Amino acid sequence: MENKSTLLKLSIIGLLFSGLLLFFFSSDSSESYTDLAALNCHCPPGFKLNEDNKCISKNLYQQYDSPNNQGVGGLQTGLPVVRDGFTPQEIDLGRYLFFDPVMSIDGSMSCATCHEPNKGFSDGLPTSIGKDNLKLDRAAPTLWNVGYLKRLFWDGRAATLEEQMEMTLFSEVEMANNPENLLNTLNNIDNYRKLFAEAYPERDKKEDIELPEIFKALAAFQSSLISLNSKYDQYAHGYHAALNEKEIEGMNVFRSFVARCAECHTPPLFTNQQFAVIGSPEPDGLPLDPGAEIPFADKSMRGAFKVPTLRNIDLTAPYMHSGKFETLREAVEFYTKGRGHAVPKDEKLYIHWHIWEPELSDYELDRLVDFLKTLNDESFMPKMPETLPSGIKLTNQQT
């Protein structure tokens, strides 16, 4: 009996010792990183998986024609060409990268810092905040339906999502990273090495992560942000009870030859993807923003900016490139105050010919706002990661 009691005590001590060893070693190795499940193998809403494991865009607008493949026209007009054909794994990897502050030089900000899902993938600020709380020059545009756009940034300086991502990551005033540091950082995180190997199985699993893979994954995720199921869309597809009387009145003002809103903010994306000089005012005390004049080296484009989409516009206040107008009512009223009324006296701008003096009544302006709010749709909102591959905790901003 005595021998059995001794053996039992030794066994218990051995189990306790093994448990302590397991606790210390496991806690040490998981202090920074949490093992993640495999990447999603299903396409996000609005896409269908084909036999080549590619997510292909599917929506009701594909049943309509698109004149000259421009994707602009009336209620039942086809969309322009969209960036699709990414794998579910690429899209899911891009989702992790988008929300992970490890992408910035000091781990202080992620893409979602300026493009918060709960703020229309903008940030609710007049102009965004960059590295070290630096106030930037322009507002953060929404990323909804960004996969359809031909030019990126307010001044159109990027032609692809990959270019846009590279410029943002390596801008000294934004995420302030550099290629060498970004690659070193991600390649030293086991979780990311595993996820990149899963998203890009055609390469050796032991190969290092490369910049084109990072940019492509981020482009894949951003291209999956689709918003095409608003009250307006339901109306456009034939369900006319989707809009009430005042919203229909607002739509008629929007499309009228008097207001001319639809000339630039053309359905179905509610942007013609062109550049326009509208003469919107800068914040008090600031000089004129030259806009597209700089990247295109064209003086006729001084003060020109890319016509933004109006999808989810009610969620992305304040408005204009400088965030000058706090409300939609202020923004629409600007267009009825007179052609070039806010242009500085020492500036000669080539105001877009659609900008004139429609003299809309207060009632018509109110109905315009009613209509613009029918463009809200977040039904395909992506799921936020519960944990990040880097081990950095998600902030309240991101969740």
Side-chain angles (χ1 to χ4, degrees), residues 254-391:
F254 185 90
R255 300 176 65 196
S256 70
F257 188 70
V258 175
R260 295 183 175 179
C261 308
E263 297 288 341
C264 292
H265 297 286
T266 318
L269 284 184
F270 287 85
T271 171
N272 60 7
Q273 305 211 47
Q274 297 178 14
F275 293 84
V277 182
I278 65 171
S280 63
E282 301 292 341
D284 295 340
L286 292 182
L288 179 81
D289 186 330
E293 175 192 13
I294 303 303
F296 290 93
D298 184 344
K299 291 185 177 181
S300 71
M301 297 181 75
R302 182 168 179 78
F305 295 96
K306 186 168 63 70
V307 175
T309 178
L310 298 183
R311 295 271 181 178
N312 288 317
I313 190 69
D314 184 43
L315 308 175
T316 58
Y319 302 105
M320 303 297 182
H321 68 278
S322 62
K324 174 66 176 179
F325 301 125
E326 293 184 4
T327 67
L328 273 177
R329 185 60 164 73
E330 290 178 46
V332 297
E333 188 178 15
F334 161 79
Y335 292 94
T336 199
K337 285 188 173 180
R339 178 181 172 88
H341 71 275
V343 176
K345 293 181 179 180
D346 59 345
E347 290 282 355
K348 181 181 179 181
L349 302 183
Y350 296 91
I351 303 293
H352 195 280
W353 68 280
H354 285 152
I355 304 297
W356 68 311
E357 299 179 15
E359 298 181 354
L360 299 179
S361 67
D362 286 342
Y363 182 85
E364 289 171 315
L365 291 174
D366 289 340
R367 299 294 75 78
L368 260 180
V369 172
D370 290 338
F371 171 66
L372 292 175
K373 291 180 179 181
T374 71
L375 301 178
N376 289 356
D377 166 42
E378 298 179 290
S379 56
F380 288 174
M381 177 72 77
K383 183 180 179 181
M384 309 305 124
E386 294 180 3
T387 57
L388 295 172
S390 66

Side-chain angles (χ1 to χ4, degrees), residues 59-61 63-64 74-77 79 145 226-240 242-243 251 267-270 311-312 371 373-379:
N59 59 73
L60 289 176
Y61 282 101
Q63 66 186 307
Y64 310 130
L75 272 68
Q76 296 186 343
T77 300
L79 289 156
N145 296 328
I226 302 298
S227 178
L228 295 170
N229 193 33
S230 65
K231 290 172 62 177
Y232 162 81
D233 294 303
Q234 295 168 34
Y235 182 94
H237 295 315
Y239 179 55
H240 291 172
L243 301 186
M251 180 180 67
L269 284 184
F270 287 85
R311 295 271 181 178
N312 288 317
F371 171 66
K373 291 180 179 181
T374 71
L375 301 178
N376 289 356
D377 166 42
E378 298 179 290
S379 56

Side-chain angles (χ1 to χ4, degrees), residues 78 90 117-118 159 163 191 207 219 224 226 237 241 267 282 337 368:
E90 282 180 307
N118 61 355
E163 285 182 20
N191 273 331
E207 287 184 21
S224 74
I226 302 298
H237 295 315
E282 301 292 341
K337 285 188 173 180
L368 260 180

Side-chain angles (χ1 to χ4, degrees), residues 37 157 171 176 343:
R157 63 185 181 274
S171 164
V343 176

